[in-house]
Structures are given as structure tokens and as C-alpha cells.
């Protein structure tokens, strides 16, 4: 299915070799930060953007902060793979989901400027996504348990009661100041009132999308991947607006007019 683009999508001509060096056991402080152009030693599994810099996380347990100088600041934070990254709207706290893919599922929050860990919390189930609410009041974590979406206290990780009903397993969520929208792989976009904690409406949409992101001006569109394609879905109606063919894509970010993604060509990644 092809329709006229609602906004632009870009694949920038930049090659990233996914190699980096060592692993250390997790500590409540970063290992000594190192600046270099050296990338990860294992595959990049998560990316998060903030203003003029972004973080990459990898199965090597390393976070790298990149800026326009192309020199990365490396932080070895875990002996586990880093599968999710979320940056607090304050800009200096970063939440990560670390896992061995089997028994250990941990969310930790770090102050990357002071290089200290704020808290760490273990879960019995895997985490689908991490995201802060718009004003940074809560850290949202999508679990694969019946509890579904969790809202965590940003000071200590304690779960809080915000939505009064179970959301079920969700793949992504976006918070505004008064509303929340979620996507689940059964193919539903659901809207909730944050003040009332109740569901207000829902739409049928494309099911089984992976690597989903709400993009473009307060999340007007949901983008996700399936079958070597990128789907662009109108989040206000659930209608698929465009499908872009792409080889193993990973969605990165968007601004007012464009979104960006990584494409895997089996040897390197193109952004």
C-alpha cells in the first residue's frame, strides 16, 4: 500500500560500524568515562535523542553519548545488554532497561553528568519500552505481565497508581499533559485521561508492529516496522497512511517534518 507521504522520512548516508571494547560488572557509578570515536563492540539495541546529542545502548552494556563532533563519551554501566533508553525531559537523567534476556530484568536511572546511579529496580517480566511522561513526572515502563503499563516514581522507582484499569500488554505509549495514548500488538490505539485514570476511546489499527514510535507534532502518527517495511499510522484514526520498504529498519526519532531510521544491510548500519 502506498499513499502520499504525510511528512518526510530520511535515511542519512552515514555508516556506523558496531564495535566497542570491554565489559565490566555493574557498579552504582559509571566506569570512568572515555571519549573517542570508537563505537560499540556489539549490536546497537537502543537509541534516544535529546536536543543536539543522543545516546546509544548495546548488548555490550555500554552507553555512548554522541554529539555533532562525532566523538562519543563512553559509559560502561552494566554487564548486561541495554535494550531500552529514555531521557528525562530535564536532560541529565537517563533511564535504561538492562537484561540478560532470561532471568534478569532491571530498570536503572542514572545522572550522566555526575555519573551516578539514582536507583535500580528489578522486575519479574521483560520490559517492552521506557518513556518519560511529557513533564517528567513519571517514568513509564511497558511490561509483558498482566499489569501492562507501569508508572514509576522518578525518585525511587516505586510503582504509582495513575491509570485505574489494566492497560494490558502495550508496546508503546505517549503522554501529553492531560491524555495518554498507547499501542498494543493486537492492533489497538487506546486513549486515557490522566486526570481521571480511565479509557476515553480506542481505534483499530495495524497489528504486530515492532519498534514503534509516536512521531510528528505531539504524536500525530505512529510508526513501526513489520516484514521489512515501515508502517505510518494516523494515531487519531488508526488508518495506515503509508508503507515504506526497508531492510531490517530501526526507527530513531522525528522532528516537526521528518523522521529518521537505521537500515541494516547485514554488514553495516545506514542512518
Amino acid at each position: 500500500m502506498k499513499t502520499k507521504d504525510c511528512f518526510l522520512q530520511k535515511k542519512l548516508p552515514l555508516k556506523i560500524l558496531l564495535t566497542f571494547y570491554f565489559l565490566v560488572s555493574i557498579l552504582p557509578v559509571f566506569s570512568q568515562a572515555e571519549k573517542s570515536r570508537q563505537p560499540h563492540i556489539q549490536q546497537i539495541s537502543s537509541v534516544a535523542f535529546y536536543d543536539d546529542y543522543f545516546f546509544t545502548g548495546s548488548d555490550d552494556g555500554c552507553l555512548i553519548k554522541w554529539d555533532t563532533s562525532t566523538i562519543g563519551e563512553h559509559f560502561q554501566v552494566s554487564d548486561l545488554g541495554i535494550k531500552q533508553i529514555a531521557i528525562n525531559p530535564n536532560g541529565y537523567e537517563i533511564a535504561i532497561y538492562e537484561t540478560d534476556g532470561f532471568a534478569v530484568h532491571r530498570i536503572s536511572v542514572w545522572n550522566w553528568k555526575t555519573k551516578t546511579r539514582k536507583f535500580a529496580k528489578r522486575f519479574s517480566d521483560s520490559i517492552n519500552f521506557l518513556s518519560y511522561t511529557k513533564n517528567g513526572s513519571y517514568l513509564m515502563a511497558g511490561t509483558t505481565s498482566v499489569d501492562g503499563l507501569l508508572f514509576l516514581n522518578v525518585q525511587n522507582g516505586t510503582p504509582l497508581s495513575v491509570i485505574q484499569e489494566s492497560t494490558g500488554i502495550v508496546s508503546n505509549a505517549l503522554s501529553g499533559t492531560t491524555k495518554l495514548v498507547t499501542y498494543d500488538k493486537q492492533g489497538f490505539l487506546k486513549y486515557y485521561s490522566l486526570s481521571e485514570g480511565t479509557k476515553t476511546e480506542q481505534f483499530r489499527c495495524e497489528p504486530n508492529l515492532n519498534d514503534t514510535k509516536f512521531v510528528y507534532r505531539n504524536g500525530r502518527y505512529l510508526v513501526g516496522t513489520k516484514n521489512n517495511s515501515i508502517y505510518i499510522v494516523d494515531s487519531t484514526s488508526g488508518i495506515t497512511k503509508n508503507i515504506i520498504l526497508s531492510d531490517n529498519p530501526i526507527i530513531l526519532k522525528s522532528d516537526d517534518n521528518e523522521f529518521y531510521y537505521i537500515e541494516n544491510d547485514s554488514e553495516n548500519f545506514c542512518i
Side-chain angles (χ1 to χ4, degrees), residues 220-247:
R220 172 60 190 274
Y221 297 98
L222 173 78
V223 296
T225 64
K226 184 169 71 170
N227 299 330
N228 286 326
S229 299
I230 298 173
Y231 286 72
I232 301 175
V233 178
D234 189 330
S235 62
T236 65
S237 67
I239 297 172
T240 298
K241 307 297 283 189
N242 203 355
I243 301 174
I244 305 163
L245 297 180
S246 181
D247 184 21

Side-chain angles (χ1 to χ4, degrees), residues 43-48 83-85 128-129 170-173 183 185 207-215 221-227 229-232 246-253 259-264 269:
Q43 179 172 321
I44 291 174
S45 52
S46 50
V47 183
K83 299 299 185 181
Q84 302 283 344
I85 303 175
N128 284 331
F129 79 95
V170 300
S171 299
N172 210 335
Y183 169 77
K185 286 195 172 186
N208 299 314
L209 294 178
N210 301 305
D211 191 30
T212 52
K213 301 283 190 304
F214 287 97
V215 303
Y221 297 98
L222 173 78
V223 296
T225 64
K226 184 169 71 170
N227 299 330
S229 299
I230 298 173
Y231 286 72
I232 301 175
S246 181
D247 184 21
N248 299 321
I250 300 174
I251 308 299
L252 296 181
K253 64 166 291 188
F259 76 90
Y260 303 87
Y261 61 94
I262 290 174
E263 186 172 275
N264 183 3
F269 279 79

Side-chain angles (χ1 to χ4, degrees), residues 103-119:
V104 180
H105 306 286
R106 179 168 58 216
I107 292 175
S108 57
V109 173
W110 301 78
N111 184 317
W112 67 263
K113 290 187 175 181
T114 62
K115 301 174 178 60
T116 55
R117 189 174 70 187
K118 191 173 185 179
F119 68 82

Side-chain angles (χ1 to χ4, degrees), residues 122 130 217 221:
R122 287 190 62 168
L130 281 180
R217 296 183 181 176
Y221 297 98

Side-chain angles (χ1 to χ4, degrees), residues 47-190:
V47 183
F49 289 80
Y50 187 90
D51 288 344
D52 59 352
Y53 64 85
F54 65 97
F55 281 90
T56 56
S58 170
D59 290 337
D60 57 21
C62 181
L63 283 174
I64 304 181
K65 175 180 172 287
W66 302 96
D67 57 29
T68 54
S69 70
T70 71
I71 295 177
E73 190 170 3
H74 299 64
F75 307 99
Q76 192 71 42
V77 297
S78 183
D79 58 347
L80 302 173
I82 298 171
K83 299 299 185 181
Q84 302 283 344
I85 303 175
I87 301 176
N88 191 309
N90 64 29
Y92 58 84
E93 289 184 351
I94 182 168
I96 63 173
Y97 165 49
E98 316 158 55
T99 182
D100 61 358
F102 177 64
V104 180
H105 306 286
R106 179 168 58 216
I107 292 175
S108 57
V109 173
W110 301 78
N111 184 317
W112 67 263
K113 290 187 175 181
T114 62
K115 301 174 178 60
T116 55
R117 189 174 70 187
K118 191 173 185 179
F119 68 82
K121 186 175 182 62
R122 287 190 62 168
F123 295 84
S124 58
D125 300 281
S126 60
I127 305 297
N128 284 331
F129 79 95
L130 281 180
S131 179
Y132 282 92
T133 53
K134 186 172 183 179
N135 57 8
S137 299
Y138 307 106
L139 175 62
M140 298 186 293
T143 72
T144 56
S145 73
V146 293
D147 295 327
L149 181 63
L150 300 178
F151 289 79
L152 305 180
N153 184 306
V154 294
Q155 301 302 321
N156 54 27
T158 302
L160 301 171
S161 178
V162 176
I163 302 300
Q164 304 305 315
E165 56 187 275
S166 174
T167 62
I169 298 173
V170 300
S171 299
N172 210 335
L174 177 69
S175 160
T177 53
T178 61
K179 292 183 178 180
L180 173 80
V181 58
T182 67
Y183 169 77
D184 63 55
K185 286 195 172 186
Q186 286 70 42
F188 283 100
L189 287 160
K190 299 177 183 178

